[in-house]
Amino acid sequence: MNIKQAKDDIKNAVSAYLTKDQFGNLVIPIERQRPIFLMGAPGIGKTAIMEQIAQELQIGLVSYSMTHHTRQSALGLPFIVQKNYGGEEYSVSEYTMSEIIASVYDIMENTDVKEGILFLDEINCVSETLAPSMLQFLQYKTFGRHAVPKGWIVVTAGNPPEYNNSVREFDIVTWDRLKRLDVEADYDVWKEYALAKATHPAITTYLDIKKDDFYKIETTVDGKSFVTARGWIDLSDMIKLYEQKDFPVNEQLVSQYIQNKKIAKSFAVYYDLFKKYQSDYQVDKIMEGKAGKEIVERAKAAKFDERLSLLGLLVDFVIGKTREIFTADGAVSELMECLKLMKYDFTLDPNPLDAVQRQIAAKEKEIKTSKMAGKLSDDRKFVLNLTITYLNEQADEMTKKGVETSDAAFKLVKVDFDKRKKAVTKNAGEAGENLTNMFKFCEEAFGTGSQELLILVTELTVSNYCAHFIGKYGCDEYFKHNKDMLFFERKKDILQEIENLNNDLDDEDEDSDEDK
């Protein structure tokens, strides 16, 4: 299965394991909850999907790599206690709490999260001294005498033996206590994640052209060479920072993340070509509706590889714009909730500034506790930080103007809120015009109903930011071409069904001839 299917399976299993009956007891008791074992090659996205699941289910996440643990840290340190049995004293070994189990209790103690996922990575690489204890843990969810708290689901992961020399083969008894999912690299599925993460368009368009370069592990005379999904994401982040600082992006940088000489060189060459397209096509002018005939004619005459690069540039521009609106929308919504609370607080507190500071403290606490619990997404973190920035600016303005009364304080924050809401609406209007201009350009350059427009609609649909924007503010051109895409996909399905039916009929005819 691919990583998206694995994510859905794990999410469903976690939800099922957390289901309680009318008395508040787990429907599937802890000892019968098979820990999920995610088997897949390194860098495929196993840890990333665990973070996504925790964020989507709004439960906690505690992650550990088992290769870092000794028997003592996993089970706890032994100590001697005296116990009385039948009137006689005996010395008995007990254990301090496992570091792993203690971490879960710490999360529960310091946040409001009572349910979550305990994710143990590289569990098939545990040390020899710890291996015998793993069977007990997998069945009873205990390390030493200390159990995983009720409401915390165990998910494990590991690499196949061919990728890791430290792997220990599990026996049938161990496998029979696990819910095993085998995951393979799948570029098309990864691209959905990549677009949602606003991965650099040079990477996604390069891999659209050369899908075989997405994931590769080889053993050569020079040793192992490899390319992983993690490597492309990390390279994307670094390219963006290098571009901001005007540092050169070259083969030397690429090879630090893409550790296959041939692929690193190929991408470095493509990146230079991509930057040339970025300059030649003047994407800003296309989005403003000011693309000249020369640019349109070049796009018409371009080969498909060049067209893909251009589409990547256009989609990246739109994702950037809609992401700004997504976060600003979120911060304005947060500010609205703060405004409601402050309106009440202003009437009670003799110092209106204290009411604003309380809202700032509440947002800072949410960031701290959600991060500790492992359920804070990057988008949520950005929205909260942006809200804190807005509130701090309101507090500074109050101090600057010497606001002391509740009426004056509320008027100031209300004016500030209205100004920010108006700015979001204005930016959304501009983004809507950008989308319209982009579709018009593509229609002129590639033709209505072209595969380029279908690709464009597909990639806009996959992006969370674009989907949020179009769902809230609309875009007639998108809905028009989305209808074309759905018709095109249905037509393909019908043709495939006809082909399958014809194949079945041919097989029946062959069987009939053989019977004769």
Side-chain angles (χ1 to χ4, degrees), residues 280-311:
D280 291 351
Y281 277 105
Q282 302 172 46
V283 171
D284 289 353
K285 288 189 176 180
I286 293 174
M287 305 309 279
E288 291 170 8
K290 298 177 181 177
K293 282 190 175 181
E294 184 181 338
I295 294 177
V296 174
E297 291 302 320
R298 171 164 181 173
K300 278 184 181 179
K303 293 181 179 179
F304 188 61
D305 290 2
E306 184 173 331
R307 291 184 178 194
L308 281 178
S309 299
L310 174 57
L311 291 174

Side-chain angles (χ1 to χ4, degrees), residues 124 173 189 205 221 298 404 411 463 496 498-499:
N124 55 347
V173 174
V189 168
T205 54
V221 290
R298 171 164 181 173
E404 295 181 354
K411 182 178 179 181
S463 167
Q496 184 62 52
I498 292 171
E499 184 180 343

Side-chain angles (χ1 to χ4, degrees), residues 7 94 144 151 159 194 292 336 348 362 399 404 423 440:
K7 175 185 170 182
E94 289 197 2
N159 304 137
M336 167 64 87
L348 301 177
T399 303
E404 295 181 354
K440 286 181 177 178

